[in-house]
Every structure is written in structure tokens, then in C-alpha cells.
Amino acid sequence: MWTAVLLACLGCYLLKLAGMSLPERVLSHPTVERVADLIPVALLSALVAVQVFAGGGDGPALTLDARALGLAFAVVALLLRAPFLVVVVGASVVAALSRLV
Amino acid sequence: MPDAALTPAERSSIVRDSLAVGVATGAYGIGFGAVSVASGLSVLQTCALSLLMFTGASQFALAGVVAAGGAPLSGAATALLLGTRNTLYGLRMAPVLQWRGWRRFAAAHVLIDESTAMSVNRPTTEGARVGFLTTGVSVFVLWNVATAIGAIAGEAVGDPRTYGLDAAVGAAFLALLWPRLQDRRNVVVGLLAAAVALSMVPITAPGVPVLAAGGVALLVGALARTPRPTRAPGPDDAAGGHR
């Protein structure tokens, strides 16, 4: 187990370092720039979806629970141009309250 | 990228938003600590993962594979697969942060989803560095403290879901994504990516769906002919817009 843990740790660090160490000209290609711009959009969207709808640690299924209510609050707050803290704290309060009910 | 100095107001605004992300994300380390120990890793191994690997999805993936009965090395392979995401972040961040030498080696360790998101859109190098470091270091400190608490106390500490922290993470990611959604191509990519990720959740290891969604960006980016549409939003956009 320790071997796997340490190998994975080293590998993950090297993957981070590799990205930061590649020469800048790699990024000058238009396609690479376009992809690099779209990657955060795709990954953030996927992270939102997975964080909210993947079955809260109990299995690989999709679930609809209090987190969706929290997300709904976040959407409304963002449409109303609420500050970041209101969006984040509000979403967790809504989710926590709905679990109490 | 201009090197204009930050005003104190701009700096404290970036620091405040970054710390908010750090607290929301870091606190979730309690969940990782508890899950990891429950998966059969020791407290020391759990803490080593948070200290040395420090990339949440990869850590959860390793613990998840082990918990599901997978071999430790296949857990490590899954974690590495997820870690390739950070290589792409690094490609994007290197010209933004412009660090050389030991600073680059140190910065690489706190290169994660959150530090990238809170930094990549800043209009100045200094703003990007402040956002990156404040987010990266605050997440690192809190994530490790929370991991240790979660691992030592196990489920006795209580479920982070009780406090709605799981919903807070999703909301934080959405707020970070929001300013980018003013462009129609980005909206399409976002919806496609979410659909791809959700469709893969039931059939793949935890974390793989997010990586697969990155493929949508690769595909659309490679196929699109028009110039990249993304404007560069200011720091206020990262805080969900106007305050």
C-alpha cells in the first residue's frame, strides 16, 4: 500500500510540474490556446454536475438530493448578482436546512 | 500581461474571495480523511496523500478503488490518470504566473482546480499570483488539517453533509464558471461536458467522469475554426460578478 501511495504522490507532482515547465511556444498554436480556454469551462461544468448529482459517496449512481436545492439557490443568487460568499454560504445553508426538515 | 501594481482594495478583494474558496474546499478534507480510513488506509497513509499528492479527486479515486477491492497499484494508476488534468492547468498557468526556478517547483505543488480557477482570469501577473497563492496555500493548510481530523476521528466527527458543505463545493464551482457562460460556445461546451460527466458517473471510477468531460474541450477546441471566443474576465467575475 505504501508503495502505491508514494508512487502516485510522486507521479501526480511530476504531472503538475510538467505542465508548468513546458516551453511557452507549445501554447502559441491557436488550437492549443482554444483548447486551453475551453478546458476550465468543461472541467468546471463537469465538477459542478458531479459534485451535485453523483451519489454522495454511497455508490456510483446519480442522485437528486439536498445538494440540488443548494445549487438552485446558487443559480438564483448568481442571477441576482449576489457576492461569491452569499452564493457559497447560502447554498450550504439551504442544503443543511432542507436535510433537517 | 501588464504588471501594474494592485491597489490595496483589489488585493484584499482577491484575498477575501480566495480565502472563501479555501475554507469551503479545505473543510471538505474531513470527508476525505474519514473516507480514506474507512477504505482501509492507515491514518499516516491518509495524511501522506493530502500532504504529498494534494489533488482531491485523485486522492478520492485512490481510496475509492481500494475500498471497492481494487489493488493499491490500480488505485495509484487511477489517481495518476486524474492527475493529468493538472498538467493542462499547468500549461495554462505557467505564462500567467511567470515563475522560474524554485518558485515554479513550489507553485507546482499547489496547482489544483481551485488555485487555477481563482487565478487564471486575473488581468495582471501580480493579481494572478495573489489569487493562486492565497487559494492554493489556504486550501493546502485547511485540507491537511481537515484530513487529519477526519482520519483520526473517523465518522465520529460527523458527516460534512450535515452542514451542507457538499452543496457549498458545487455552488463555488458554479460561481467560478458563471462569468464564462456569457459566451454561447462556452455554454454549449459546459452543457456537453456536464452531460458526458453525468452519463459516465454510474459506469466509471470516481473522478474519471470529470476527466472525460475534458475530452469535450479537446474535441470542440480542435474542431472549431473561428478564433477563440473567450474574453478575459476581470477579478470581480470570479466572485460571481458585481458586488
Side-chain angles (χ1 to χ4, degrees):
Chain A
M1 181 64 81
W2 269 113
T3 313
V5 166
L6 294 178
L7 273 180
C9 288
L10 179 69
C12 280
Y13 175 73
L14 290 178
L15 283 169
K16 294 176 181 177
L17 188 63
M20 292 197 93
S21 303
L22 277 165
E24 239 180 288
R25 63 186 155 77
V26 176
L27 269 178
S28 62
H29 193 281
T31 303
V32 177
E33 278 198 10
R34 216 161 38 225
V35 169
D37 264 340
L38 290 174
I39 276 171
V41 175
L43 291 181
L44 282 171
S45 304
L47 280 166
V48 171
V50 170
Q51 290 280 352
V52 174
F53 298 110
D58 299 328
L62 295 177
T63 48
L64 197 62
D65 61 17
R67 289 170 296 170
L69 284 176
L71 188 72
F73 171 87
V75 170
V76 173
L78 286 165
L79 284 172
L80 296 174
R81 298 170 181 269
F84 186 76
L85 270 179
V86 173
V87 174
V88 173
V89 175
S92 79
V93 169
V94 165
L97 286 179
S98 79
R99 283 181 179 130
L100 286 178
V101 175
Chain B
M1 180 164 287
D3 254 328
L6 290 176
T7 68
E10 284 170 339
R11 177 181 291 268
S12 64
S13 158
I14 296 176
V15 168
R16 193 171 55 238
D17 293 341
S18 300
L19 286 177
V21 172
V23 171
T25 311
Y28 213 60
I30 291 178
F32 172 71
V35 165
S36 177
V37 171
S39 303
L41 281 86
S42 71
V43 171
L44 264 184
Q45 286 164 342
T46 299
C47 290
L49 279 176
S50 280
L51 274 172
L52 303 175
M53 182 181 283
F54 188 52
T55 171
S58 294
Q59 294 177 224
F60 270 111
L62 196 153
V65 169
V66 172
L73 281 177
S74 72
T78 310
L80 284 174
L81 189 66
L82 292 174
T84 57
R85 182 173 86 265
N86 292 322
T87 306
L88 299 171
Y89 291 161
L91 266 179
R92 192 86 181 98
M93 294 308 297
V96 174
L97 295 172
Q98 297 188 17
W99 269 319
R100 299 276 179 274
W102 69 269
R103 287 187 182 81
R104 179 191 286 163
F105 283 89
H109 194 53
V110 289
L111 176 72
I112 53 171
D113 296 320
E114 290 79 13
S115 55
T116 301
M118 294 304 285
S119 169
V120 70
N121 288 332
R122 307 290 177 197
T124 64
T125 302
E126 197 192 349
R129 288 176 173 179
V130 170
F132 183 85
L133 273 189
T134 311
T135 309
V137 172
S138 65
V139 171
F140 183 78
V141 170
L142 287 164
W143 178 258
N144 276 286
V145 170
T147 296
I149 293 173
I152 291 166
E155 283 136 338
V157 168
D159 193 330
R161 285 181 287 184
T162 311
Y163 313 104
L165 280 174
D166 50 348
V169 178
F173 283 130
L174 181 68
L176 296 173
L177 174 66
W178 200 258
R180 296 167 189 259
L181 295 182
Q182 291 175 2
D183 178 89
R184 194 188 303 165
R185 182 192 285 170
N186 283 359
V187 172
V188 171
V189 167
L191 288 175
L192 269 177
V196 167
L198 288 180
S199 70
M200 295 189 72
V201 163
I203 54 171
T204 60
V208 172
V210 174
L211 191 69
V216 173
L218 287 175
L219 203 65
V220 174
L223 294 179
R225 302 252 169 138
T226 49
R228 63 199 175 102
T230 314
R231 69 187 181 93
D236 279 349
D237 288 326
H242 313 250
R243 70 190 67 240

